[in-house]
């Protein structure tokens, strides 16, 4: 015989554990890890911005 109340509580605990694990992955980073990730993102953005080709202004006819 299964006690439904206990089964619901057990299922809720399991779901809470999964949610807690997801939150630890998203929010559980140290300041150093966040700063390192921001530095990498900034470097990638600078590299991509430096590689962009300039297009002629739309109001000027091409020469």
């Amino acid at each position: 015989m299964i006690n439904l109340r206990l089964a619901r509580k057990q299922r809720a605990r399991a779901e809470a554990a999964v949610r807690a694990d997801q939150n630890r992955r998203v929010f559980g980073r140290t300041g150093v890890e966040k700063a390192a990730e921001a530095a990498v993102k900034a470097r990638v953005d600078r590299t991509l911005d430096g590689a962009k080709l300039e297009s002629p202004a739309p109001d000027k006819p091409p020469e």
Side-chain angles (χ1 to χ4, degrees), residues 3-56:
N3 188 330
L4 294 178
R5 178 179 51 87
L6 293 178
R8 278 193 296 267
K9 285 185 177 184
Q10 186 177 12
R11 185 180 61 208
R13 281 190 210 106
E15 290 171 359
V18 169
R19 197 171 330 113
D21 185 47
Q22 291 171 346
N23 284 340
R24 277 192 293 273
R25 290 179 188 190
V26 173
F27 300 109
R29 298 180 301 155
T30 65
V32 173
E33 291 171 333
K34 291 176 188 177
E37 184 178 334
V40 168
K41 184 179 180 325
R43 187 181 70 228
V44 168
D45 289 344
R46 279 194 311 270
T47 302
L48 289 176
D49 287 342
K52 285 185 181 177
L53 298 176
E54 296 294 326
S55 60

